Every structure is written in structure tokens, then in C-alpha cells.
Amino acid sequence: MDDVVARKNASAEGGTPQHFFGRVLRPGELLDHASYSTPRMVSERLRPFVKRYWAVTWDFPDGESYQTSTVSEPTINLTFEFGSSRRVSTDGPGVWVTGPVTERRFDVGIFGRGGVLGVNFHLGATLAFSDRAPSIIRNSTVAAAEWFPTLEADLGLAEAFSPVPIAASGLRRTEAAAVGEPQVDRDPVVPDIVALAESVENWLLSRRPEMTQGYSRLKHVLDVLADPEVVSLQILSRRTGIGERTLQRMFDRYCGVGVKKILARARIIDAVGAIDCGWDGSLADLGIHFGWYDQSHFSADFLRVTGFSPREYSQRASARVNRG
């Protein structure tokens, strides 16, 4: 993982971004249905706090839609969403803050024409921009105004979002996100994503984030956690010389999620990524490779997070490769 737990990841294929593997379920399918870009490199001043800027745009014919599914690290994303999309309890467009997702995959249905610009923060970094506790939005999405009250006005976005009425869109609900056969009756304006990314970065810089002693200490702990041999809170405590309870409080305050959740998520991400990169061993060996010594536990954990058993997901990945 990028700044959390760098494990035994396989190599990426083709033009798929490296960080898609393990994090975006069926990454090739997403790129068949939408366009992904990095609209701006993070400035040196913000690199300790912002991992990346990312953007996805789409333009579907009437009646077509797609459900994106991700299994990302439990970090926080600030997103600017335009056009037609829907997720559980939160309909775009708008400016949103999505908290650390620790339980299952994160699904968003996209249809019509639209786009999203995202700011992916490093673990623990949002306290440099807001005093809101990450733990209060664990596994949920809230309006960005709750965290950054002046953001939309500062960027001149107050009138930029024109919601598509859900009743008029003809959506069917699924277990994860409302995705179906929408009938979109207007053409939303998707702004210049590159220009918006520049404005967002300037706004973040205007907040003057500081590398506090506490955040610097967390960054050191995350560096230690990146060692694949650190597989438990106990080992992390020994390696850092910091007590387990102190570590738990640190992660709860800065990340909104505990060490065990981060480690568990890392293993699932690595297993998914290995399958997407063409794992050529048995699924039993895959589980063992990433620390599961009980095949039933591996299958149960994989199914709980991704919605697929390892075999089902492997077959879907193989089917797409065979189609070319």
C-alpha cells in the first residue's frame, strides 16, 4: 500500500494505474466505462498531507450505467462531483467528504454524463485542514461544508451543482448502490477538471497546514507499519517503542480507525491486486501468501469486503482477460 502497508504486490499491467490494483475492483472494466486521470501533481508543500489528486469522467448513452466498486485504504477523500451518480444515502452532485471505509467495498453508480475530482489525503492528514475527528465519518459520506464551511464559496462553486432529480432518473436500487437504467433529461456541465484541481490546491495551501509533532510522530509509525513483517499491534509497539494503548489513541485521533483494521484492509487489497495482476498459483496459496493460514477465513474475509468469493472474483478477472 502507498503509505500504509507496502506488501508483496504483483506488477501492474498495461496502462492501468498502479494504485488501481487491489483498490478498484475489476479495474479494466472501470476504464472501459469511464476515463481516469491525474489532473495535477501534488505540490511539494502539500505532499506530506495529500497523496494524490484524481479524476474520473464518464458519458453514457441513455439507459446505460455502471457501478464502480473500490476497496481502498481507510483514508479520507474530498470529492467534487458533477452530473449523474449515486451511492448509498448520498446522491451527487455536490462536494463531499468520505471517511475511512473499513468494512466493505465502496460502491458508486454512474450514468448519464458527469465527472468527479478527488483529493486523497494521507492517513491522519485531515487534522491539518480541519478540526473534525475522522472517526465521526468512518464508513460514511458527509457534505464537505460540515468539514470546510467556506470551501464552496471560496472556490465560487455555490451555483455549480445542479442535481438530477432521482425520481426522474428511473433508477433501480441494488444492495450496494442505486444503479439501473436511468433516463437523464438534461446535460450537466462538467467543469475544467484541471483548472478546478489548481483552485483546490491553492485553497488547501491557503489553509497553511503544519507538520505538527503529533502528525510527524504518526508518519514515523506509519513508516514502521509499512514493513511487511509488522502484522500486529504488538509488533508495531515493539518496533516503535510506543505503548499499545498510546498507539490505539494515536490512530483513533488521527486516522479514525485502528491498526488492526488497517492491517486487515491491507491484506485484502494485496490479495485483490494479485488476482487482477494475473496470480498464477492456487487460491489456497494466495491466502497463505498474504497471511491467511485458514482457507475458510480467507474466503470469508474476501467475500465480506469485496462481495465476491476469491474464486468468483478470480473467474471474473480471468474472463475479462480472455475476452481481450
Side-chain angles (χ1 to χ4, degrees):
M1 297 173 60
D2 290 343
D3 65 338
V4 186
V5 207
R7 311 272 170 211
K8 309 168 188 175
N9 291 319
S11 300
E13 296 178 351
T16 304
Q18 175 66 47
H19 64 270
F20 269 36
F21 289 91
R23 299 163 181 84
V24 177
L25 297 185
R26 307 181 306 278
E29 284 188 18
L30 171 60
L31 296 177
D32 286 344
H33 290 86
S35 297
Y36 175 87
S37 66
T38 301
R40 183 178 184 85
M41 300 303 295
V42 179
S43 67
E44 184 175 357
R45 176 72 179 83
L46 288 178
R47 282 175 198 162
F49 310 99
V50 175
K51 183 184 298 184
R52 68 175 61 89
Y53 302 111
W54 56 271
V56 176
T57 57
W58 60 89
D59 191 353
F60 288 96
D62 288 347
E64 292 190 13
S65 62
Y66 181 69
Q67 178 173 292
T68 69
S69 301
T70 57
V71 185
S72 297
E73 297 93 339
T75 55
I76 290 176
N77 280 271
L78 167 66
T79 56
F80 300 78
E81 304 184 22
F82 303 85
S84 307
S85 66
R86 193 171 189 185
R87 69 186 91 175
V88 172
S89 303
T90 307
D91 302 325
V95 186
W96 311 100
V97 175
T98 298
V101 178
T102 63
E103 297 299 331
R104 296 177 174 82
R105 71 191 192 197
F106 184 72
D107 291 345
V108 177
I110 57 177
F111 54 93
R113 181 171 180 264
V116 54
L117 168 68
V119 181
N120 183 210
F121 293 98
H122 284 298
L123 271 172
T126 54
L127 288 181
F129 304 95
S130 171
D131 60 4
R132 304 282 287 178
S135 59
I136 66 176
I137 57 168
R138 186 187 302 124
N139 297 312
S140 64
T141 297
V142 298
E146 294 185 22
W147 279 52
F148 311 113
T150 68
L151 174 61
E152 292 181 53
D154 290 345
L155 296 182
L157 296 175
E159 305 299 325
F161 302 102
S162 177
V164 176
I166 294 302
S169 68
L171 291 173
R172 287 199 311 267
R173 286 188 177 275
T174 67
E175 180 177 313
V179 183
E181 299 175 355
Q183 301 297 320
V184 182
D185 58 0
R186 43 184 164 158
D187 190 22
V189 175
V190 179
D192 183 332
I193 295 292
V194 174
L196 179 58
E198 180 180 4
S199 297
V200 171
E201 175 158 279
N202 288 335
W203 186 87
L204 291 171
L205 287 168
S206 76
R207 308 291 288 186
R208 298 183 179 180
E210 297 293 334
M211 178 67 77
T212 63
Q213 183 177 1
Y215 183 54
S216 179
R217 192 184 192 197
L218 173 70
K219 296 286 278 186
H220 168 68
V221 171
L222 291 172
D223 287 342
V224 176
L225 191 62
D227 185 337
E229 295 183 2
V230 178
V231 295
S232 69
L233 177 61
Q234 293 77 12
I235 295 174
L236 182 64
S237 177
R238 289 200 303 269
R239 291 281 189 92
T240 60
I242 301 173
E244 292 182 22
R245 290 187 179 180
T246 300
L247 286 170
Q248 289 171 330
R249 288 193 295 270
M250 177 190 297
F251 275 79
D252 182 66
R253 179 190 176 197
Y254 284 95
C255 306
V257 60
V259 175
K260 293 180 180 178
K261 290 284 188 181
I262 290 175
L263 289 169
R265 196 77 172 182
R267 291 200 298 171
I268 293 293
I269 288 172
D270 291 341
V272 171
I275 291 173
D276 284 332
C277 289
W279 175 264
D280 57 4
S282 69
L283 293 177
D285 287 343
L286 176 67
I288 293 171
H289 185 71
F290 291 114
W292 284 275
Y293 298 102
D294 184 307
Q295 182 67 20
S296 63
H297 286 171
F298 170 48
S299 296
D301 288 348
F302 197 101
L303 176 64
R304 175 178 54 80
V305 173
T306 68
F308 303 99
S309 71
R311 185 167 302 281
E312 288 171 336
Y313 189 76
S314 179
Q315 289 172 343
R316 289 177 69 102
S318 297
R320 186 181 188 284
V321 170
N322 292 335
R323 288 199 312 268

